[in-house]
Amino acid sequence: MLSNLSISNYALIDSLNVGFDNGFTVITGETGAGKSILLGGLSLVLGKRADLSSLRDKNEKCIIEADFNIGQYGLMPFFEQNDLDHEEVTVVRREILPSGKSRAFVNDTPVRLDILSELGNRLIDIHSQHQTLELTENDFQLKLIDALAENAENLSKYKAQLQSYQKEEKELQQLIDFQNNADKEQDYNFFLLNELESANLKEGMLEALEAQYEQLNNVEFITEQLSKGNQLINGEQIGLLNLMTELKQVISKLSGFNEKYADLNARIQSVAIELDDINGELELFQEGIEANPSLLEEINAKLQLLYNLQKKHNVQEVSELIKIREELSEKAFETANLDDKIAAKKEALTELKNKLETLIILLRKRRTAVIPKLKKQLEEDLGQLGMPSASFQITLSNSETFKITGKDDLSFLFSANKGSAHGLLKKVASGGELSRIMLVIKALLAKYEKLPTIMFDEIDTGVSGEISNRMAMIMREMSREMQVFSITHLPQVASQGNQHYKVYKSEEAEVTKTNMRKLSEEERIVELAQMLGGKELSESALAHAKQLLN
């Protein structure tokens, strides 16, 4: 239940702090006094989107804080799921900064607006005049039937299965679409894959082929240069080997005289060994090189193939061609296995569909069972509210498609008078009739949904006299199970409250402010008398007010 509400710097409210008790609480005030402002502030703390225009002083932040006693409402799983501290008295706070940004906190832990909104839906049902129009919508009507049928657990299972079914259905369609596209591209992709596979692509092969091509293409020049090199090393008179032999002999004669000559001799010996190795390699190169026009032609063909593939696929490296080949190979594998995947997905869908149909039958069975009870209860309750001839025709029919609530189409028709044809609520019910229907429906839902608090904003619009008194009695009866608020202009309703609060305006230093306070017994009599007879209090109005309170 809502135990305290604090609002500062919001619209016409400078600072407001008010506590509430359980039971039936009524709120009254003149038109324009600010009752809608109070509701607006409460809506913000329950997750409604903020607006910078809400700030009274644009340079200061707006703070709205509400305390809720939640110990007995089974909200622990929600708090654990969202990593929040569960407190017997939970404090929800909303701040709107001058920048336009807003922040939300639950027990001083920052929360996202969607989490705050979800928590708010579990704490208070604020019923505005606009929400009465929900009564005319099938979703709301089916929600009512499911509440009476206690279908919550079955609906939860159905929604989970439906989510799985829709996921599998989407994946199946993606596979079918992929297969359709793959069939169109398959021949071309196989051609590209065969082309790349026949090239026997390997890392580094392009560089190796280019080096081999350069050697074979320049074999005459290379042979000529190797021959010259061999001659320079092995020439009989001025060959490097002969000259090196003489040099070794000369310097070796000096090595015994000084250590530096010995070092020089060692270096010459090392050069001689290196020169001998070079001579050996030159001879091997000469023996290994020969003109091979056919091999040159073969290598040139391989290079042209690689160059063409690079150009065709718009890449620069063989490694990129290898990657494309692997991708095409994967596509070919996927395409080859698509039939099996599609068949498996269809089988899984059939199994899920069967489970859905089982749950749908159970949902429909329970709904069908409670419809007569709902019809009877609504008609009896409306009879107590001055609509003795009200009647409903409520039927279910099978839908062709899976919906979030099952496969039931609901027909919810109403007639207020004997002999009148039944029709859709939004077409045949007046505003006053809709208010009374909504009240009895909310009273029914309250027994099943176990919501902590409900707030009616002028649900008694369009009714008066004895009917308004009976509506008040229904709200008071509801307050035995939950906390009930009613914002009203009717003295018959206001007199039934366990507590009575008044919203009023005051002017301080030429500034208009909205305030709210709890009325004492004497103040309630005056307020009711003014609601009955206007500002000028008469003895009869005061007597009538006392009679209403008693």
Side-chain angles (χ1 to χ4, degrees), residues 24-31 35 456-461 463 468 472 475 485-497 500-501 527-528 531:
F24 184 28
T25 299
V26 294
I27 300 172
T28 61
E30 295 179 0
T31 301
K35 298 186 294 297
F456 293 110
D457 180 19
E458 299 186 7
I459 196 169
D460 45 30
T461 298
V463 298
S468 60
M475 286 186 272
F485 288 86
S486 178
I487 297 174
T488 182
H489 285 293
L490 298 179
Q492 292 88 345
V493 175
S495 66
Q496 292 291 331
H500 187 159
Y501 291 80
E527 175 71 6
L528 291 173
M531 293 174 74

PDB file of all heavy atoms in Angstrom, residues 24-31 35 456-461 463 468 472 475 485-497 500-501 527-528 531:
ATOM      1  N   PHE A  24     -10.340   2.904   2.615  1.00  0.00           N
ATOM      2  CA  PHE A  24     -10.915   3.689   1.535  1.00  0.00           C
ATOM      3  C   PHE A  24     -10.614   5.161   1.775  1.00  0.00           C
ATOM      4  O   PHE A  24     -11.043   5.751   2.758  1.00  0.00           O
ATOM      5  CB  PHE A  24     -12.420   3.444   1.471  1.00  0.00           C
ATOM      6  CG  PHE A  24     -13.122   4.137   0.332  1.00  0.00           C
ATOM      7  CD1 PHE A  24     -12.461   4.421  -0.854  1.00  0.00           C
ATOM      8  CD2 PHE A  24     -14.462   4.500   0.454  1.00  0.00           C
ATOM      9  CE1 PHE A  24     -13.111   5.049  -1.907  1.00  0.00           C
ATOM     10  CE2 PHE A  24     -15.133   5.133  -0.588  1.00  0.00           C
ATOM     11  CZ  PHE A  24     -14.445   5.404  -1.778  1.00  0.00           C
ATOM     12  N   THR A  25      -9.837   5.756   0.884  1.00  0.00           N
ATOM     13  CA  THR A  25      -9.435   7.155   0.993  1.00  0.00           C
ATOM     14  C   THR A  25     -10.077   7.954  -0.128  1.00  0.00           C
ATOM     15  O   THR A  25      -9.979   7.575  -1.297  1.00  0.00           O
ATOM     16  CB  THR A  25      -7.902   7.298   0.912  1.00  0.00           C
ATOM     17  OG1 THR A  25      -7.312   6.579   1.995  1.00  0.00           O
ATOM     18  CG2 THR A  25      -7.486   8.754   0.974  1.00  0.00           C
ATOM     19  N   VAL A  26     -10.729   9.066   0.233  1.00  0.00           N
ATOM     20  CA  VAL A  26     -11.333   9.926  -0.791  1.00  0.00           C
ATOM     21  C   VAL A  26     -10.560  11.235  -0.866  1.00  0.00           C
ATOM     22  O   VAL A  26     -10.014  11.717   0.135  1.00  0.00           O
ATOM     23  CB  VAL A  26     -12.826  10.192  -0.499  1.00  0.00           C
ATOM     24  CG1 VAL A  26     -13.622   8.914  -0.620  1.00  0.00           C
ATOM     25  CG2 VAL A  26     -13.027  10.842   0.858  1.00  0.00           C
ATOM     26  N   ILE A  27     -10.491  11.770  -2.088  1.00  0.00           N
ATOM     27  CA  ILE A  27      -9.798  13.035  -2.329  1.00  0.00           C
ATOM     28  C   ILE A  27     -10.755  13.947  -3.076  1.00  0.00           C
ATOM     29  O   ILE A  27     -11.298  13.586  -4.128  1.00  0.00           O
ATOM     30  CB  ILE A  27      -8.514  12.823  -3.161  1.00  0.00           C
ATOM     31  CG1 ILE A  27      -7.554  11.874  -2.418  1.00  0.00           C
ATOM     32  CG2 ILE A  27      -7.822  14.147  -3.455  1.00  0.00           C
ATOM     33  CD1 ILE A  27      -6.341  11.461  -3.237  1.00  0.00           C
ATOM     34  N   THR A  28     -10.982  15.130  -2.530  1.00  0.00           N
ATOM     35  CA  THR A  28     -11.893  16.090  -3.159  1.00  0.00           C
ATOM     36  C   THR A  28     -11.175  17.413  -3.360  1.00  0.00           C
ATOM     37  O   THR A  28     -10.063  17.628  -2.874  1.00  0.00           O
ATOM     38  CB  THR A  28     -13.149  16.312  -2.301  1.00  0.00           C
ATOM     39  OG1 THR A  28     -12.754  16.848  -1.027  1.00  0.00           O
ATOM     40  CG2 THR A  28     -13.898  15.005  -2.087  1.00  0.00           C
ATOM     41  N   GLY A  29     -11.844  18.311  -4.057  1.00  0.00           N
ATOM     42  CA  GLY A  29     -11.291  19.636  -4.317  1.00  0.00           C
ATOM     43  C   GLY A  29     -12.023  20.261  -5.487  1.00  0.00           C
ATOM     44  O   GLY A  29     -12.580  19.560  -6.341  1.00  0.00           O
ATOM     45  N   GLU A  30     -11.994  21.563  -5.531  1.00  0.00           N
ATOM     46  CA  GLU A  30     -12.671  22.261  -6.610  1.00  0.00           C
ATOM     47  C   GLU A  30     -11.993  21.966  -7.951  1.00  0.00           C
ATOM     48  O   GLU A  30     -10.816  21.614  -8.007  1.00  0.00           O
ATOM     49  CB  GLU A  30     -12.663  23.775  -6.345  1.00  0.00           C
ATOM     50  CG  GLU A  30     -13.461  24.188  -5.119  1.00  0.00           C
ATOM     51  CD  GLU A  30     -13.398  25.692  -4.894  1.00  0.00           C
ATOM     52  OE1 GLU A  30     -12.742  26.386  -5.702  1.00  0.00           O
ATOM     53  OE2 GLU A  30     -13.994  26.157  -3.913  1.00  0.00           O
ATOM     54  N   THR A  31     -12.751  22.151  -8.996  1.00  0.00           N
ATOM     55  CA  THR A  31     -12.175  21.991 -10.335  1.00  0.00           C
ATOM     56  C   THR A  31     -11.018  22.964 -10.507  1.00  0.00           C
ATOM     57  O   THR A  31     -11.134  24.156 -10.222  1.00  0.00           O
ATOM     58  CB  THR A  31     -13.245  22.273 -11.411  1.00  0.00           C
ATOM     59  OG1 THR A  31     -14.326  21.360 -11.227  1.00  0.00           O
ATOM     60  CG2 THR A  31     -12.660  22.115 -12.801  1.00  0.00           C
ATOM     61  N   LYS A  35      -5.968  18.379  -8.535  1.00  0.00           N
ATOM     62  CA  LYS A  35      -6.033  16.918  -8.337  1.00  0.00           C
ATOM     63  C   LYS A  35      -5.296  16.188  -9.451  1.00  0.00           C
ATOM     64  O   LYS A  35      -4.640  15.180  -9.220  1.00  0.00           O
ATOM     65  CB  LYS A  35      -7.503  16.479  -8.278  1.00  0.00           C
ATOM     66  CG  LYS A  35      -8.289  17.078  -7.111  1.00  0.00           C
ATOM     67  CD  LYS A  35      -9.679  16.498  -7.007  1.00  0.00           C
ATOM     68  CE  LYS A  35     -10.561  16.869  -8.190  1.00  0.00           C
ATOM     69  NZ  LYS A  35     -10.804  18.314  -8.306  1.00  0.00           N
ATOM     70  N   PHE A 456      -9.019   5.448  -8.218  1.00  0.00           N
ATOM     71  CA  PHE A 456     -10.040   5.814  -9.195  1.00  0.00           C
ATOM     72  C   PHE A 456     -10.064   7.326  -9.359  1.00  0.00           C
ATOM     73  O   PHE A 456     -10.236   8.059  -8.385  1.00  0.00           O
ATOM     74  CB  PHE A 456     -11.423   5.342  -8.746  1.00  0.00           C
ATOM     75  CG  PHE A 456     -11.580   3.847  -8.718  1.00  0.00           C
ATOM     76  CD1 PHE A 456     -11.678   3.175  -7.502  1.00  0.00           C
ATOM     77  CD2 PHE A 456     -11.638   3.109  -9.887  1.00  0.00           C
ATOM     78  CE1 PHE A 456     -11.840   1.803  -7.456  1.00  0.00           C
ATOM     79  CE2 PHE A 456     -11.797   1.735  -9.857  1.00  0.00           C
ATOM     80  CZ  PHE A 456     -11.888   1.075  -8.638  1.00  0.00           C
ATOM     81  N   ASP A 457      -9.916   7.774 -10.591  1.00  0.00           N
ATOM     82  CA  ASP A 457      -9.995   9.205 -10.874  1.00  0.00           C
ATOM     83  C   ASP A 457     -11.350   9.502 -11.500  1.00  0.00           C
ATOM     84  O   ASP A 457     -11.569   9.302 -12.689  1.00  0.00           O
ATOM     85  CB  ASP A 457      -8.870   9.610 -11.832  1.00  0.00           C
ATOM     86  CG  ASP A 457      -8.902  11.095 -12.159  1.00  0.00           C
ATOM     87  OD1 ASP A 457      -9.539  11.848 -11.402  1.00  0.00           O
ATOM     88  OD2 ASP A 457      -8.300  11.497 -13.171  1.00  0.00           O
ATOM     89  N   GLU A 458     -12.300   9.955 -10.651  1.00  0.00           N
ATOM     90  CA  GLU A 458     -13.642  10.345 -11.085  1.00  0.00           C
ATOM     91  C   GLU A 458     -14.329   9.231 -11.884  1.00  0.00           C
ATOM     92  O   GLU A 458     -14.898   9.474 -12.957  1.00  0.00           O
ATOM     93  CB  GLU A 458     -13.580  11.643 -11.885  1.00  0.00           C
ATOM     94  CG  GLU A 458     -13.017  12.806 -11.067  1.00  0.00           C
ATOM     95  CD  GLU A 458     -13.074  14.146 -11.778  1.00  0.00           C
ATOM     96  OE1 GLU A 458     -13.666  14.209 -12.874  1.00  0.00           O
ATOM     97  OE2 GLU A 458     -12.523  15.115 -11.247  1.00  0.00           O
ATOM     98  N   ILE A 459     -14.250   8.006 -11.361  1.00  0.00           N
ATOM     99  CA  ILE A 459     -14.951   6.906 -12.015  1.00  0.00           C
ATOM    100  C   ILE A 459     -16.462   7.065 -11.868  1.00  0.00           C
ATOM    101  O   ILE A 459     -17.242   6.419 -12.580  1.00  0.00           O
ATOM    102  CB  ILE A 459     -14.499   5.547 -11.430  1.00  0.00           C
ATOM    103  CG1 ILE A 459     -14.923   4.419 -12.382  1.00  0.00           C
ATOM    104  CG2 ILE A 459     -15.030   5.345 -10.019  1.00  0.00           C
ATOM    105  CD1 ILE A 459     -14.321   3.082 -12.064  1.00  0.00           C
ATOM    106  N   ASP A 460     -16.886   7.959 -10.959  1.00  0.00           N
ATOM    107  CA  ASP A 460     -18.319   8.187 -10.756  1.00  0.00           C
ATOM    108  C   ASP A 460     -18.882   9.266 -11.684  1.00  0.00           C
ATOM    109  O   ASP A 460     -20.004   9.733 -11.507  1.00  0.00           O
ATOM    110  CB  ASP A 460     -18.584   8.584  -9.295  1.00  0.00           C
ATOM    111  CG  ASP A 460     -17.579   9.621  -8.800  1.00  0.00           C
ATOM    112  OD1 ASP A 460     -17.095  10.422  -9.622  1.00  0.00           O
ATOM    113  OD2 ASP A 460     -17.272   9.600  -7.600  1.00  0.00           O
ATOM    114  N   THR A 461     -18.095   9.667 -12.690  1.00  0.00           N
ATOM    115  CA  THR A 461     -18.573  10.663 -13.654  1.00  0.00           C
ATOM    116  C   THR A 461     -19.826  10.149 -14.375  1.00  0.00           C
ATOM    117  O   THR A 461     -19.864   9.007 -14.831  1.00  0.00           O
ATOM    118  CB  THR A 461     -17.477  10.980 -14.692  1.00  0.00           C
ATOM    119  OG1 THR A 461     -16.355  11.525 -14.008  1.00  0.00           O
ATOM    120  CG2 THR A 461     -17.971  11.982 -15.734  1.00  0.00           C
ATOM    121  N   VAL A 463     -22.858   9.816 -13.053  1.00  0.00           N
ATOM    122  CA  VAL A 463     -23.877   9.220 -12.174  1.00  0.00           C
ATOM    123  C   VAL A 463     -24.143  10.175 -11.011  1.00  0.00           C
ATOM    124  O   VAL A 463     -23.369  11.093 -10.744  1.00  0.00           O
ATOM    125  CB  VAL A 463     -23.429   7.840 -11.631  1.00  0.00           C
ATOM    126  CG1 VAL A 463     -23.226   6.860 -12.756  1.00  0.00           C
ATOM    127  CG2 VAL A 463     -22.164   7.975 -10.790  1.00  0.00           C
ATOM    128  N   SER A 468     -24.626   6.805  -7.128  1.00  0.00           N
ATOM    129  CA  SER A 468     -23.275   7.182  -6.671  1.00  0.00           C
ATOM    130  C   SER A 468     -23.020   6.618  -5.284  1.00  0.00           C
ATOM    131  O   SER A 468     -21.891   6.216  -4.957  1.00  0.00           O
ATOM    132  CB  SER A 468     -23.121   8.703  -6.680  1.00  0.00           C
ATOM    133  OG  SER A 468     -24.069   9.312  -5.816  1.00  0.00           O
ATOM    134  N   ALA A 472     -20.019   4.043  -4.279  1.00  0.00           N
ATOM    135  CA  ALA A 472     -19.130   4.270  -3.137  1.00  0.00           C
ATOM    136  C   ALA A 472     -19.073   3.050  -2.243  1.00  0.00           C
ATOM    137  O   ALA A 472     -18.013   2.685  -1.715  1.00  0.00           O
ATOM    138  CB  ALA A 472     -19.609   5.492  -2.357  1.00  0.00           C
ATOM    139  N   MET A 475     -16.714   0.532  -3.716  1.00  0.00           N
ATOM    140  CA  MET A 475     -15.308   0.899  -3.482  1.00  0.00           C
ATOM    141  C   MET A 475     -14.916   0.649  -2.028  1.00  0.00           C
ATOM    142  O   MET A 475     -13.813   0.190  -1.736  1.00  0.00           O
ATOM    143  CB  MET A 475     -15.075   2.360  -3.881  1.00  0.00           C
ATOM    144  CG  MET A 475     -15.047   2.576  -5.387  1.00  0.00           C
ATOM    145  SD  MET A 475     -14.618   4.260  -5.886  1.00  0.00           S
ATOM    146  CE  MET A 475     -16.244   5.022  -5.898  1.00  0.00           C
ATOM    147  N   PHE A 485      -8.268   4.404  -3.386  1.00  0.00           N
ATOM    148  CA  PHE A 485      -8.389   5.858  -3.438  1.00  0.00           C
ATOM    149  C   PHE A 485      -9.481   6.205  -4.444  1.00  0.00           C
ATOM    150  O   PHE A 485      -9.620   5.544  -5.477  1.00  0.00           O
ATOM    151  CB  PHE A 485      -7.086   6.514  -3.915  1.00  0.00           C
ATOM    152  CG  PHE A 485      -5.966   6.473  -2.919  1.00  0.00           C
ATOM    153  CD1 PHE A 485      -5.125   5.367  -2.835  1.00  0.00           C
ATOM    154  CD2 PHE A 485      -5.731   7.548  -2.069  1.00  0.00           C
ATOM    155  CE1 PHE A 485      -4.080   5.328  -1.932  1.00  0.00           C
ATOM    156  CE2 PHE A 485      -4.683   7.516  -1.165  1.00  0.00           C
ATOM    157  CZ  PHE A 485      -3.864   6.404  -1.088  1.00  0.00           C
ATOM    158  N   SER A 486     -10.223   7.277  -4.151  1.00  0.00           N
ATOM    159  CA  SER A 486     -11.204   7.773  -5.117  1.00  0.00           C
ATOM    160  C   SER A 486     -11.140   9.290  -5.152  1.00  0.00           C
ATOM    161  O   SER A 486     -11.365   9.953  -4.145  1.00  0.00           O
ATOM    162  CB  SER A 486     -12.622   7.321  -4.764  1.00  0.00           C
ATOM    163  OG  SER A 486     -13.553   7.852  -5.699  1.00  0.00           O
ATOM    164  N   ILE A 487     -10.797   9.828  -6.324  1.00  0.00           N
ATOM    165  CA  ILE A 487     -10.871  11.268  -6.541  1.00  0.00           C
ATOM    166  C   ILE A 487     -12.275  11.549  -7.064  1.00  0.00           C
ATOM    167  O   ILE A 487     -12.681  11.017  -8.098  1.00  0.00           O
ATOM    168  CB  ILE A 487      -9.801  11.727  -7.555  1.00  0.00           C
ATOM    169  CG1 ILE A 487      -8.396  11.449  -6.994  1.00  0.00           C
ATOM    170  CG2 ILE A 487      -9.964  13.198  -7.880  1.00  0.00           C
ATOM    171  CD1 ILE A 487      -7.280  11.727  -7.969  1.00  0.00           C
ATOM    172  N   THR A 488     -13.024  12.369  -6.348  1.00  0.00           N
ATOM    173  CA  THR A 488     -14.454  12.482  -6.658  1.00  0.00           C
ATOM    174  C   THR A 488     -14.961  13.907  -6.485  1.00  0.00           C
ATOM    175  O   THR A 488     -14.398  14.706  -5.737  1.00  0.00           O
ATOM    176  CB  THR A 488     -15.271  11.523  -5.771  1.00  0.00           C
ATOM    177  OG1 THR A 488     -16.644  11.617  -6.116  1.00  0.00           O
ATOM    178  CG2 THR A 488     -15.093  11.849  -4.297  1.00  0.00           C
ATOM    179  N   HIS A 489     -16.068  14.190  -7.196  1.00  0.00           N
ATOM    180  CA  HIS A 489     -16.799  15.446  -7.011  1.00  0.00           C
ATOM    181  C   HIS A 489     -18.141  15.194  -6.325  1.00  0.00           C
ATOM    182  O   HIS A 489     -18.909  16.138  -6.094  1.00  0.00           O
ATOM    183  CB  HIS A 489     -17.059  16.114  -8.370  1.00  0.00           C
ATOM    184  CG  HIS A 489     -15.854  16.756  -8.967  1.00  0.00           C
ATOM    185  ND1 HIS A 489     -15.251  17.860  -8.411  1.00  0.00           N
ATOM    186  CD2 HIS A 489     -15.136  16.461 -10.075  1.00  0.00           C
ATOM    187  CE1 HIS A 489     -14.218  18.223  -9.150  1.00  0.00           C
ATOM    188  NE2 HIS A 489     -14.128  17.386 -10.167  1.00  0.00           N
ATOM    189  N   LEU A 490     -18.430  13.931  -6.008  1.00  0.00           N
ATOM    190  CA  LEU A 490     -19.736  13.583  -5.460  1.00  0.00           C
ATOM    191  C   LEU A 490     -19.687  13.444  -3.939  1.00  0.00           C
ATOM    192  O   LEU A 490     -18.877  12.682  -3.406  1.00  0.00           O
ATOM    193  CB  LEU A 490     -20.242  12.273  -6.074  1.00  0.00           C
ATOM    194  CG  LEU A 490     -20.463  12.292  -7.594  1.00  0.00           C
ATOM    195  CD1 LEU A 490     -20.942  10.931  -8.066  1.00  0.00           C
ATOM    196  CD2 LEU A 490     -21.462  13.376  -7.989  1.00  0.00           C
ATOM    197  N   PRO A 491     -20.531  14.158  -3.215  1.00  0.00           N
ATOM    198  CA  PRO A 491     -20.534  14.060  -1.743  1.00  0.00           C
ATOM    199  C   PRO A 491     -20.921  12.668  -1.261  1.00  0.00           C
ATOM    200  O   PRO A 491     -20.442  12.221  -0.214  1.00  0.00           O
ATOM    201  CB  PRO A 491     -21.562  15.111  -1.309  1.00  0.00           C
ATOM    202  CG  PRO A 491     -22.417  15.336  -2.518  1.00  0.00           C
ATOM    203  CD  PRO A 491     -21.535  15.143  -3.704  1.00  0.00           C
ATOM    204  N   GLN A 492     -21.777  11.955  -2.018  1.00  0.00           N
ATOM    205  CA  GLN A 492     -22.176  10.605  -1.617  1.00  0.00           C
ATOM    206  C   GLN A 492     -20.962   9.675  -1.571  1.00  0.00           C
ATOM    207  O   GLN A 492     -20.861   8.814  -0.691  1.00  0.00           O
ATOM    208  CB  GLN A 492     -23.218  10.042  -2.590  1.00  0.00           C
ATOM    209  CG  GLN A 492     -24.559  10.739  -2.541  1.00  0.00           C
ATOM    210  CD  GLN A 492     -24.611  11.939  -3.491  1.00  0.00           C
ATOM    211  OE1 GLN A 492     -23.577  12.406  -3.976  1.00  0.00           O
ATOM    212  NE2 GLN A 492     -25.816  12.436  -3.743  1.00  0.00           N
ATOM    213  N   VAL A 493     -20.037   9.839  -2.532  1.00  0.00           N
ATOM    214  CA  VAL A 493     -18.821   9.025  -2.545  1.00  0.00           C
ATOM    215  C   VAL A 493     -17.852   9.493  -1.473  1.00  0.00           C
ATOM    216  O   VAL A 493     -17.284   8.698  -0.715  1.00  0.00           O
ATOM    217  CB  VAL A 493     -18.147   9.078  -3.943  1.00  0.00           C
ATOM    218  CG1 VAL A 493     -16.808   8.336  -3.925  1.00  0.00           C
ATOM    219  CG2 VAL A 493     -19.070   8.489  -5.007  1.00  0.00           C
ATOM    220  N   ALA A 494     -17.668  10.815  -1.384  1.00  0.00           N
ATOM    221  CA  ALA A 494     -16.711  11.369  -0.415  1.00  0.00           C
ATOM    222  C   ALA A 494     -17.077  10.996   1.014  1.00  0.00           C
ATOM    223  O   ALA A 494     -16.205  10.806   1.868  1.00  0.00           O
ATOM    224  CB  ALA A 494     -16.643  12.884  -0.570  1.00  0.00           C
ATOM    225  N   SER A 495     -18.367  10.848   1.303  1.00  0.00           N
ATOM    226  CA  SER A 495     -18.794  10.555   2.677  1.00  0.00           C
ATOM    227  C   SER A 495     -18.466   9.134   3.106  1.00  0.00           C
ATOM    228  O   SER A 495     -18.462   8.829   4.297  1.00  0.00           O
ATOM    229  CB  SER A 495     -20.307  10.786   2.802  1.00  0.00           C
ATOM    230  OG  SER A 495     -21.022   9.836   2.016  1.00  0.00           O
ATOM    231  N   GLN A 496     -18.183   8.257   2.145  1.00  0.00           N
ATOM    232  CA  GLN A 496     -17.938   6.854   2.481  1.00  0.00           C
ATOM    233  C   GLN A 496     -16.471   6.568   2.834  1.00  0.00           C
ATOM    234  O   GLN A 496     -16.145   5.477   3.281  1.00  0.00           O
ATOM    235  CB  GLN A 496     -18.340   5.967   1.291  1.00  0.00           C
ATOM    236  CG  GLN A 496     -19.832   5.938   1.006  1.00  0.00           C
ATOM    237  CD  GLN A 496     -20.601   5.228   2.097  1.00  0.00           C
ATOM    238  OE1 GLN A 496     -20.078   4.339   2.757  1.00  0.00           O
ATOM    239  NE2 GLN A 496     -21.855   5.616   2.305  1.00  0.00           N
ATOM    240  N   GLY A 497     -15.600   7.545   2.638  1.00  0.00           N
ATOM    241  CA  GLY A 497     -14.174   7.296   2.865  1.00  0.00           C
ATOM    242  C   GLY A 497     -13.819   7.106   4.321  1.00  0.00           C
ATOM    243  O   GLY A 497     -14.398   7.734   5.210  1.00  0.00           O
ATOM    244  N   HIS A 500     -10.372  11.339   4.466  1.00  0.00           N
ATOM    245  CA  HIS A 500     -10.805  12.335   3.490  1.00  0.00           C
ATOM    246  C   HIS A 500      -9.708  13.397   3.364  1.00  0.00           C
ATOM    247  O   HIS A 500      -9.334  14.038   4.348  1.00  0.00           O
ATOM    248  CB  HIS A 500     -12.125  12.958   3.937  1.00  0.00           C
ATOM    249  CG  HIS A 500     -12.740  13.867   2.919  1.00  0.00           C
ATOM    250  ND1 HIS A 500     -14.081  14.184   2.927  1.00  0.00           N
ATOM    251  CD2 HIS A 500     -12.227  14.538   1.857  1.00  0.00           C
ATOM    252  CE1 HIS A 500     -14.360  14.992   1.917  1.00  0.00           C
ATOM    253  NE2 HIS A 500     -13.233  15.238   1.265  1.00  0.00           N
ATOM    254  N   TYR A 501      -9.197  13.583   2.135  1.00  0.00           N
ATOM    255  CA  TYR A 501      -8.165  14.588   1.875  1.00  0.00           C
ATOM    256  C   TYR A 501      -8.732  15.634   0.912  1.00  0.00           C
ATOM    257  O   TYR A 501      -9.520  15.303   0.011  1.00  0.00           O
ATOM    258  CB  TYR A 501      -6.917  13.971   1.255  1.00  0.00           C
ATOM    259  CG  TYR A 501      -6.146  13.088   2.206  1.00  0.00           C
ATOM    260  CD1 TYR A 501      -6.560  11.776   2.450  1.00  0.00           C
ATOM    261  CD2 TYR A 501      -5.018  13.555   2.862  1.00  0.00           C
ATOM    262  CE1 TYR A 501      -5.860  10.958   3.324  1.00  0.00           C
ATOM    263  CE2 TYR A 501      -4.306  12.743   3.744  1.00  0.00           C
ATOM    264  CZ  TYR A 501      -4.732  11.449   3.969  1.00  0.00           C
ATOM    265  OH  TYR A 501      -4.041  10.651   4.838  1.00  0.00           O
ATOM    266  N   GLU A 527     -16.803  20.431   4.202  1.00  0.00           N
ATOM    267  CA  GLU A 527     -16.472  20.110   2.812  1.00  0.00           C
ATOM    268  C   GLU A 527     -17.649  19.450   2.108  1.00  0.00           C
ATOM    269  O   GLU A 527     -18.008  19.806   0.977  1.00  0.00           O
ATOM    270  CB  GLU A 527     -15.234  19.196   2.770  1.00  0.00           C
ATOM    271  CG  GLU A 527     -14.847  18.690   1.373  1.00  0.00           C
ATOM    272  CD  GLU A 527     -14.273  19.759   0.468  1.00  0.00           C
ATOM    273  OE1 GLU A 527     -14.051  20.905   0.941  1.00  0.00           O
ATOM    274  OE2 GLU A 527     -14.060  19.462  -0.722  1.00  0.00           O
ATOM    275  N   LEU A 528     -18.290  18.502   2.777  1.00  0.00           N
ATOM    276  CA  LEU A 528     -19.447  17.824   2.179  1.00  0.00           C
ATOM    277  C   LEU A 528     -20.608  18.789   1.982  1.00  0.00           C
ATOM    278  O   LEU A 528     -21.313  18.737   0.955  1.00  0.00           O
ATOM    279  CB  LEU A 528     -19.879  16.641   3.052  1.00  0.00           C
ATOM    280  CG  LEU A 528     -18.933  15.441   3.110  1.00  0.00           C
ATOM    281  CD1 LEU A 528     -19.416  14.435   4.142  1.00  0.00           C
ATOM    282  CD2 LEU A 528     -18.815  14.779   1.736  1.00  0.00           C
ATOM    283  N   MET A 531     -19.921  20.775  -1.020  1.00  0.00           N
ATOM    284  CA  MET A 531     -20.121  19.967  -2.213  1.00  0.00           C
ATOM    285  C   MET A 531     -21.611  19.831  -2.525  1.00  0.00           C
ATOM    286  O   MET A 531     -22.030  19.748  -3.687  1.00  0.00           O
ATOM    287  CB  MET A 531     -19.491  18.580  -2.037  1.00  0.00           C
ATOM    288  CG  MET A 531     -17.971  18.603  -1.938  1.00  0.00           C
ATOM    289  SD  MET A 531     -17.261  16.967  -1.542  1.00  0.00           S
ATOM    290  CE  MET A 531     -17.468  16.123  -3.116  1.00  0.00           C
TER     291      MET A 531
END
